Amino acid sequence: QTRSPQQKQTQLMDATPLLQQPLPVSSSPPPPRNPIVYLTLVSLFIDYFLLTSCIPIIPLTLSDTPASLIFLLFASKSLVQVVANPLAGKAVDSGSPRCILQASLVALTLSTLGFAYGVNTRSFPVLLSSRAFQGLASAGIMTSGMASISLSTPSSSRGSALSTAMVGIAAGVLTGPPVAGAVAEGVGGEAVYVGLAAMGAATAGAVGAVAWRWPGAFEPVDE
């Protein structure tokens, strides 16, 4: 059946709204926010467990070292961190918090391995340098971890996310001395630091895995 030009024009006009409708876009699920919180929690736990594990181990390892040098060893981490914290903040502002968090975890792992070697050889210079290097790693972990959570968490739940991550500090301080003391007494002081180094390396790898699986996980969230 032949249609007239007027009928064809009417059919095209009826189909025009359908052609103008936007095509459906497949939306992928948003990246999870919780992994960043818990990765920061674990990072802080390792850092503060390492900080307090020295309490039962170092005095026994360096029993012949003068008390003034033991004090210097314990204070070296904080002395370095006082200087490193502002520098870490500037680095986070001008760079990637995720990269700084991952690099700081690698530095913490190296510091922990230094502790293991220093305890095994009873070397004060190795332990002192490892403790000071931990201050540099701590500055990066604290600053980049908190910045990553603040950027990637909506303001309505930011306080809860930050307070959850801070649990890692309390847990590390609480469990560091008794667990390290028990392990050192049963297996040896270096075993404590080898285990912590393995945890630090695994956490650094997990940060990279989250960034690879969800590239936008560390990006600012849309409010």
Side-chain angles (χ1 to χ4, degrees):
Q1 182 179 1
T2 306
R3 297 179 181 179
S4 64
Q6 185 177 3
Q7 290 176 328
K8 292 182 179 179
Q9 184 177 4
T10 302
Q11 185 178 10
L12 290 173
M13 291 177 63
D14 293 340
T16 300
L18 296 175
L19 296 175
Q20 292 177 347
Q21 290 180 359
L23 296 175
V25 179
S26 61
S27 58
S28 58
R33 302 298 174 183
N34 281 343
I36 301 175
V37 175
Y38 292 109
L39 286 172
T40 304
L41 186 155
V42 173
S43 302
L44 291 172
F45 170 79
I46 297 170
D47 183 23
Y48 279 82
F49 189 103
L50 176 61
L51 174 69
T52 57
S53 66
C54 297
I55 296 173
I57 295 177
I58 296 301
L60 296 177
T61 302
L62 302 176
S63 56
D64 297 331
T65 304
S68 58
L69 293 181
I70 297 294
F71 168 77
L72 176 62
L73 189 151
F74 276 97
S76 59
K77 187 254 187 190
S78 298
L79 291 173
V80 171
Q81 193 168 350
V82 165
V83 178
N85 266 335
L87 300 178
K90 290 183 179 180
V92 167
D93 288 339
S94 59
S96 167
R98 192 268 302 174
C99 292
I100 294 173
L101 177 60
Q102 201 167 13
S104 299
L105 283 166
V106 172
L108 186 65
T109 301
L110 295 176
S111 171
T112 308
L113 290 174
F115 271 103
Y117 179 75
V119 168
N120 187 50
T121 58
R122 297 180 178 270
S123 172
F124 175 81
V126 171
L127 290 171
L128 178 63
S129 58
S130 299
R131 182 81 167 184
F133 195 52
Q134 184 195 355
L136 186 64
S138 297
I141 288 172
M142 177 69 76
T143 306
S144 60
M146 296 296 106
S148 297
I149 293 173
S150 298
L151 286 173
S152 61
T153 306
S155 58
S156 58
S157 58
R158 192 169 297 152
S160 298
L162 290 170
S163 61
T164 300
M166 297 291 280
V167 169
I169 296 177
V173 171
L174 179 66
T175 59
V179 174
V183 174
E185 196 173 69
V187 183
E190 60 271 16
V192 175
Y193 301 116
V194 171
L196 279 178
M199 288 182 62
T203 308
V207 171
V210 168
W212 174 79
R213 176 63 180 84
W214 298 284
F218 287 85
E219 297 299 324
V221 66
D222 295 328
E223 296 285 354

